[in-house]
Amino acid sequence: MAKKKNLSEISIMTSLIENSYLFKGLNQEELSSFFTSESLTKEKLFSNRPVFTAFLPDESLDSLYVVLEGGPIIARSNPLDRIISITYGGGCFGMRSLPFSYGLATKSFPSLVEAYKTTYVTKIPLDTFTKIFDRFEIVRVRYAKLFELREKFTYHLLNCSSYPPQAVASLLRGLIYQERELQNQPNTKGIYTFDLSVEVIAKACQLNQRTVEQVLKGMQKEGLIALDKDNDTSDDIIQILNAEELKEVYSSTRDKVSWWPLK
C-alpha cells in the first residue's frame, strides 16, 4: 500500500497538477507514485539572491526547478549583464543546465540565475524527472516546448532595435507569447498581467531606466498598457490591455510611433 502523503506534499502535488505547465492535467495518484515523502518540498527563494550560475563548463544541476508562485526568476548573461530569461509561476527553469535531453546540447556563456522577487519553488530530482519523462508523452512534448520558448524569447530580444518603443514592445511581445504558450494568460478579458519592474525591462532591452519610464508612460497614454501602482502584491504590475495593437509598435520603425517624442 502506498504511503500516505503529508499535507504539505499534497499541497505541492495539487499545485503541480493544477498550475504547472509541465505537469498540468496529469493523474495525481499516478504522478504521486514517482515521489517519496522527502523528495517534494516547497522552498523559498529570497529576492536578489543567486540561485545558481547556468552554463558553467562541466557543471550541471541535479534537479529541475518548478515555480509554484511569486517571482519572477531572471537569468543575467555575461558579459553584458543582460536579462535573457524571465520565469513566472507555472513555469520551470534550470532545464538548460540539466545533463539530460536538450540540456545536453545547450551551451552558452555563464549566466547568473536569481530570484528578482521572493519566489516559491519545488525541485524535481533528475532521476525522478527522467522516470516521469519516460512515462508521460505529454511531458515530453511540453518539455521540448520549454526549450523552444527560451529560444523564441531570446529571439524577441535580439530582434529589437535601439529604438526604445520597439525595444520595450519586443520584450512585452516575448512575454505575451511565452505566457500564452504556457497557458498561464491572458485572463477572460484578454488582458495579460506581468509583475515587471522598470529595472528588469531596462536590463532586458539595454535601455536606461528613465527611458523605459518614458516609453511606459507613452504606452499607457495610448491605451496599450495600464500601470497598476495600487496593486496589493506589487508596485510593478503592468497590464497589457491591447496585445494586437502592441504588435504595431513591435514592428515599427522610427517614423511610425507618433507618441514617441524623440526621432
Side-chain angles (χ1 to χ4, degrees), residues 34-99:
F34 290 91
F35 296 92
T36 66
S37 58
E38 297 83 19
S39 64
L40 203 58
T41 59
K42 186 175 182 179
E43 296 186 22
K44 184 177 183 179
L45 305 180
F46 294 94
S47 61
N48 297 312
R49 299 280 184 88
V51 182
F52 65 91
T53 300
F55 311 124
L56 288 176
D58 302 318
E59 289 192 26
S60 58
L61 298 179
D62 59 6
S63 299
L64 173 70
Y65 289 82
V66 179
V67 180
L68 301 175
E69 58 181 306
I73 297 290
I74 61 173
R76 299 174 183 263
S77 69
N78 287 327
L80 295 179
D81 192 29
R82 183 171 190 172
I83 290 176
I84 57 172
S85 73
I86 301 175
T87 307
Y88 293 99
C92 304
F93 65 97
M95 306 91 60
R96 294 180 293 177
S97 292
L98 289 180

Side-chain angles (χ1 to χ4, degrees), residues 200-218:
V200 169
I201 297 173
K203 284 191 174 293
C205 299
Q206 298 287 278
L207 299 171
N208 65 62
Q209 294 189 35
R210 176 58 180 158
T211 299
V212 171
E213 290 171 352
Q214 289 179 309
V215 172
L216 294 179
K217 287 180 180 178

Side-chain angles (χ1 to χ4, degrees), residues 19-250:
N19 304 315
S20 170
Y21 169 74
L22 201 54
F23 304 106
K24 188 178 296 183
L26 296 184
N27 179 278
Q28 182 163 329
E29 182 177 354
E30 189 173 6
L31 184 61
S32 298
S33 67
F34 290 91
F35 296 92
T36 66
S37 58
E38 297 83 19
S39 64
L40 203 58
T41 59
K42 186 175 182 179
E43 296 186 22
K44 184 177 183 179
L45 305 180
F46 294 94
S47 61
N48 297 312
R49 299 280 184 88
V51 182
F52 65 91
T53 300
F55 311 124
L56 288 176
D58 302 318
E59 289 192 26
S60 58
L61 298 179
D62 59 6
S63 299
L64 173 70
Y65 289 82
V66 179
V67 180
L68 301 175
E69 58 181 306
I73 297 290
I74 61 173
R76 299 174 183 263
S77 69
N78 287 327
L80 295 179
D81 192 29
R82 183 171 190 172
I83 290 176
I84 57 172
S85 73
I86 301 175
T87 307
Y88 293 99
C92 304
F93 65 97
M95 306 91 60
R96 294 180 293 177
S97 292
L98 289 180
F100 168 74
S101 186
Y102 301 100
L104 292 170
T106 303
K107 305 296 180 183
S108 184
F109 296 106
S111 301
L112 180 65
V113 178
E114 63 181 284
Y116 186 79
K117 293 188 176 181
T118 301
T119 310
Y120 293 92
V121 303
T122 190
K123 293 195 293 186
I124 311 296
L126 179 58
D127 59 342
T128 300
F129 180 63
T130 54
K131 294 175 183 176
I132 297 173
F133 183 89
D134 291 338
R135 172 63 182 85
F136 298 100
E137 181 181 2
I138 188 64
V139 173
R140 295 195 292 273
V141 172
R142 290 173 178 173
Y143 193 64
K145 174 64 72 172
L146 290 176
F147 283 84
E148 177 186 327
L149 292 176
R150 283 287 188 258
E151 293 303 314
K152 288 184 174 179
F153 185 82
T154 303
Y155 170 81
H156 276 89
L157 295 185
L158 293 176
N159 198 42
C160 73
S161 70
S162 58
Y163 185 44
Q166 189 195 44
V168 175
S170 296
L171 172 64
L172 296 179
R173 286 296 308 168
L175 287 173
I176 287 170
Y177 182 84
Q178 171 181 291
E179 296 305 301
R180 186 181 66 221
E181 291 296 305
L182 292 176
Q183 304 170 22
N184 294 331
Q185 300 204 49
N187 64 15
T188 54
K189 296 181 179 179
I191 295 174
Y192 294 82
T193 302
F194 300 107
D195 190 342
L196 191 63
S197 73
V198 169
E199 181 187 11
V200 169
I201 297 173
K203 284 191 174 293
C205 299
Q206 298 287 278
L207 299 171
N208 65 62
Q209 294 189 35
R210 176 58 180 158
T211 299
V212 171
E213 290 171 352
Q214 289 179 309
V215 172
L216 294 179
K217 287 180 180 178
M219 288 182 171
Q220 184 177 34
K221 188 175 181 180
E222 292 296 307
L224 300 176
I225 67 172
L227 305 177
D228 188 0
K229 297 297 184 182
D230 298 323
N231 192 281
D232 293 336
T233 59
S234 172
D235 296 330
D236 300 317
I237 297 297
I238 296 178
Q239 295 179 328
I240 312 298
L241 305 180
N242 196 325
E244 288 304 310
E245 286 191 15
L246 192 66
K247 285 183 180 179
E248 297 182 13
V249 182
Y250 170 63

